[in-house]
Amino acid sequence: MPTYDYRCPRDGTFALRFPIGEAAPGVRCVTCGAEAVRVFAPPMLNALPRPLVAALDRTGRSAEAPEVVSRIPDGGRGRRRTPHPGHARLPRPD
Ligand SMILES: [Zn+2]
């Protein structure tokens, strides 16, 4: 059953569980019994881990304004590096 948030004017927000589609627009406050109204909030956004939020933000920025490489990453020292020393022994084209 999903959780629905309600706000009491005196005690603040509390949550109740109802079957889907059966949440009442107003309930009695669980603390004081006053009329509490249903509040709508984006679900679970605060529960996302910070690294995931950072990764999602980076992905969004990359889609809108990707970083452009304007120089050779090794500083342009000219020597091309291969990841494996065996590559140097491979046959070269004539
Ligand atoms: Zn209350």
Side-chain angles (χ1 to χ4, degrees), residues 12-93:
T13 305
F14 58 95
L16 293 176
R17 306 187 98 187
F18 290 102
I20 290 176
E22 295 184 22
V27 296
R28 293 278 170 201
C29 172
V30 294
T31 306
C32 70
E35 185 72 21
V37 295
R38 186 173 168 194
V39 292
F40 295 88
M44 302 301 286
L45 287 184
N46 291 335
L48 290 178
R50 280 185 174 276
L52 176 58
V53 171
L56 290 172
D57 287 347
R58 256 194 323 275
T59 301
R61 276 197 309 272
S62 176
E64 293 295 321
E67 291 180 18
V68 176
V69 176
S70 58
R71 60 182 174 78
I72 299 171
D74 72 348
R77 275 168 265 155
R79 214 180 103 212
R80 187 170 168 204
R81 295 181 184 172
T82 56
H84 193 277
H87 290 178
R89 295 193 301 270
L90 291 174
R92 302 282 174 207

